Amino acid sequence: MKAANKFGVLALIFISVVINYMDRTNISVAANAISQDLSLTPVQMGIIFSAFAWTYSIMQIPGGMIVDVVKVRILYPFILVAWSLATIVQGLVSSLAAMVGCRMAIGLFEAPSYPANNKIVTQWFSQRERASAIAVYTSGQFIGLAFLMPVLALIQEWFGWRGLFIVSGVIGIVWAAIWYWLYREPESDIGNAATQQRDQKSSVNVSESSVALSWGNIRLAFSSRKLWGIYIGQFCLGSTLIFFLTWFPTYLAEYRGMGDLKTGLLASVPFLAAFGGVLLSGFTSDWLVRRGFSNEFARKSPVILGLFLSGSVIGANYVDSIATVTFFLSLAFFGNGLASINWVFVSLIAPKQMVGLVGGCFNFIGGLSAVTIPVAIGFLVQDGDFRPALALIGALALLGLCAYVFLVGKIEQIPMQSPNENSDLGVAKSLV
């Protein structure tokens, strides 16, 4: 049975996101065992955690351009197989350099995945449905990991950390074959006239978002106060996320003294909270827009509230019971989920013909949090005390809140520069 309707397509994206994040974060489940087996310091583990983001961030704009020219049905299975093979190799190496190389390879091949997800949703869903669709597939990174954390911990218990990577990689390769078998481009299988009309309208939206990749546009993308507001917000939001995706299980195992299996079970609770947050935010935001509320309220309020709640991670520094620690961490990650619809601001604020370029800059700067934060935490926790690390994450969340309040300001689209201001370097294909 082919995925010829938008809900089937959304299910394919959701599962792909789950597998995507499984291969990003299985390193966090295995981190304690790897550091002991390979005699790695916290700083070295921080380098391994951040290596994924080195290539992932750099390849955001090129990855989006690849998505423009290669059909998703071909591209997605290819990158799935490629990053899954790198995951398997990760389970076979025994040196810091090789481990870093594998993480960089995974980041390289995962880079086009979210631009591809965005392209698929743009083709299959109308504008009023997109925040909800984005919320659904974004929730895959939370709900998938919530249930996978205990499973991954159990796999490691049975097969060791090397077996964990090998099993994860095999799952990705199998899913690549399933994706190719089920997915069809919208124009291939959709016969319903109304749906065809919707897709034609979506393709017009995509063409309107094309961008002249010129020095003038690049200057505009990096000189607007409003855009820097959402860039900083994305970096701060990503800092909370990357803590949970990398150091969080180590925090539970080493600082709170839990075993690997118990760590896997407790680690799932904040991910469930984040799952609830992102779905609540996405569906509520779209509902408010349909009811006629302004973007100031419908889009911005969940992000500001979410970043405020993310700052509550600091509360875990002042309590001792596991239940209370879990409460503060879950509340912080719930807030992170609430704020995860912030991608919608790219289309609301960016100049009409620069959505792709601004989206690439937005995700690139957000990705820098995954480059810097794991290493920074590695330095901060060298003496075994995680309190400075949690203080850093909480402070960055509040900085992101300030960026949305004081830099972004009113939600309105930035006008394009005039042709005279924006004529250098020629035209290239854009991101979607």
Side-chain angles (χ1 to χ4, degrees), residues 104-184:
M104 290 176 66
I106 295 170
L108 173 70
F109 290 113
E110 285 198 7
S113 60
Y114 262 71
N117 295 340
N118 189 48
K119 179 178 181 178
I120 295 167
V121 166
T122 300
Q123 290 176 330
W124 284 87
F125 290 84
S126 68
Q127 188 175 358
R128 290 190 171 193
E129 300 172 312
R130 284 181 201 158
S132 300
I134 290 170
V136 168
Y137 79 68
T138 301
S139 72
Q141 69 194 49
F142 300 123
I143 190 65
L145 292 176
F147 290 108
L148 280 176
M149 281 290 186
V151 174
L152 294 176
L154 193 60
I155 292 173
Q156 179 172 281
E157 189 91 358
W158 289 343
F159 303 110
W161 65 266
R162 296 184 183 277
L164 172 61
F165 291 133
I166 293 170
V167 171
S168 299
V170 169
I171 290 171
I173 292 172
V174 171
W175 180 247
I178 295 173
W179 171 279
Y180 182 79
W181 178 52
L182 291 179
Y183 185 77
R184 293 293 183 271

Side-chain angles (χ1 to χ4, degrees), residues 67 189 218 302:
V67 169
D189 278 351
I218 292 172

